[in-house]
Amino acid sequence: MIYLDNAATSFPKPPEVLKAVAEALAAPASPGRSGHAPALAASRIIHKARKNLARLLGAPDNSRLVFTPNVTWSLNIVLNGFGLKPGDHVISGSLEHNSTARPLSRFQREGQVNWEVVPPGPDGLLKPEDFKARLNPKTRLVVLNHASNVTGSLAPAKAIKEAIGDIPLLLDAAQTAGSMPMDDYCQWADFIAFTGHKGLLGPTGTGGLWIREGLDLRPLSVGGSGSRSESLVHPDFLPDALEPGTANTHGLAGLAAGVGFLLDVGLDKVRDHEMELTQWFLERIIDIPGLKIIGPGPGVKERVACVSVVLDGWSSSDLAAALESGYGIMVRSGLHCAPLTHQFMNTMPGGASRFSIGYFNTLDDVKTAAWALSELAAKKPSRA
Ligand SMILES: Cc1ncc(COP(=O)(O)O)c(C=O)c1O
């Protein structure tokens, strides 16, 4: 199998991750609850996960980093807990995933907020001045997908934050956390939401959110926290305020190991490897007759390692099926939970076929993928 679907979930996970999950599952775990030795060991696992992630993001205070089941949950904690009121104005980028677009669309339909989308420039990239131009006295929040899971384009997040000044920026780092250095992000972003199972190399069911000091969120759910148990009022201090219920200890053990692996390798090295393969792939496929790259072509540095294509005569699903059956290549077809992006890229309703490269891919993997695409471009799908 040649796995090129790392934007969906990364594979393989480093052996350290498998070992950490198995070890944590083999022990009784009630972190932050009981006082016996295995419970304390479980608390240490959570502490390690928090410490590793705080290092990866350069967070000055570990306690402002909370764990959630995935980035969708983290984004919803902010969007629902930030205290948006009818009449408030929220700006977002145009390459948002449904994990922000659906909550924002629901608020809009229910008259809760006025949601405005910033379109990309002719080159498909977002411009900081277009965010600034849309600010008005009612603007409360800017939501930004850091990197598109369709086009791979990387938003100029720091420049956008500089352009919007004091308005809080919520960054969806699903496609960037673990794939590029981000150790200065806590110096300027306001909320950083991440998922554990993609670039961070952890298991599914893990994710989190970093929250700038001074920003308060009303918890989406409250309950047992292992702290202040005498009170019927849920604690208001972090991380307990946003972590009700028993933590996913074995998942976080795996996430701690995945992030530990990345810190040892170095995020520069991860980024260089992924970009080298991506540029090689883009350069090889750009001249394939009938093939269109959806997003930045070769030479653009502001991108991540995800490349979507449309091939004349092929539906995105037929192409993905032919890649799997003929070459053992796994990609994702369709709309990638990002209909807004496909609208802006004129790839509705069929979507595109997405090749997403991870740290464990090799040059041979992308060579085979480029060769497979050029062979298929010369054929008609068998169903046609
Ligand atoms: C940009 C972006 N945001 C959000 C998500 C949602 O991730 P999860 O399903 O882990 O919550 C994804 C996953 O595909 C994504 O690519």
Side-chain angles (χ1 to χ4, degrees), residues 7 70-72 97 99 145 147 149 172 174-175 195 197-198:
N70 48 49
V71 71
T72 302
H97 187 273
S99 54
N145 184 3
N149 59 315
D172 173 356
Q175 293 296 339
T195 209
H197 65 102
K198 300 187 196 269

Side-chain angles (χ1 to χ4, degrees), residues 326-340:
Y327 306 88
I329 298 172
M330 313 294 148
V331 299
R332 178 167 172 196
S333 62
L335 298 176
H336 315 96
C337 301
L340 283 182

Side-chain angles (χ1 to χ4, degrees), residues 123 316 367:
D123 53 1
S316 69
K367 273 187 184 168

Side-chain angles (χ1 to χ4, degrees), residues 181-316:
M182 288 179 68
D183 54 4
D184 64 337
Y185 275 53
C186 291
Q187 286 168 27
W188 50 267
D190 299 287
F191 301 105
I192 304 175
F194 58 88
T195 209
H197 65 102
K198 300 187 196 269
L200 294 172
L201 306 177
T204 49
T206 60
L209 174 68
W210 176 79
I211 305 145
R212 165 176 301 291
E213 174 95 58
L215 289 169
D216 290 323
L217 296 171
R218 185 173 199 267
L220 265 184
S221 52
V222 295
S225 63
S227 55
R228 303 267 160 91
S229 293
E230 74 289 354
S231 173
L232 290 182
V233 178
H234 192 78
D236 60 359
F237 52 85
L238 290 174
D240 299 27
L242 298 176
E243 289 183 353
T246 301
N248 174 7
T249 311
H250 57 279
L252 292 176
L255 181 59
V259 176
F261 173 89
L262 292 166
L263 291 170
D264 287 347
V265 170
L267 271 297
D268 280 319
K269 194 168 161 202
V270 172
R271 169 92 178 142
D272 288 350
H273 176 71
E274 291 187 359
M275 282 305 97
E276 196 187 313
L277 299 192
T278 305
Q279 289 301 335
W280 193 98
F281 184 59
L282 286 165
E283 279 162 21
R284 283 304 181 288
I285 64 170
I286 186 122
D287 294 325
I288 294 179
L291 182 130
K292 187 166 174 232
I293 297 169
I294 309 305
V300 179
K301 291 204 175 69
E302 294 80 20
R303 62 145 41 255
V304 293
C306 134
V307 177
S308 292
V309 303
V310 171
L311 187 57
D312 271 358
W314 290 81
S315 72
S316 69

Side-chain angles (χ1 to χ4, degrees), residues 305-365:
C306 134
V307 177
S308 292
V309 303
V310 171
L311 187 57
D312 271 358
W314 290 81
S315 72
S316 69
S317 52
D318 281 347
L319 182 59
L323 286 163
E324 179 172 4
S325 60
Y327 306 88
I329 298 172
M330 313 294 148
V331 299
R332 178 167 172 196
S333 62
L335 298 176
H336 315 96
C337 301
L340 283 182
T341 311
H342 284 285
Q343 266 161 30
F344 279 105
M345 293 293 154
N346 292 319
T347 40
M348 287 291 251
S353 307
R354 181 185 72 187
F355 297 73
S356 49
I357 296 163
Y359 180 66
F360 293 108
N361 283 119
T362 63
L363 188 57
D364 277 348
D365 292 343

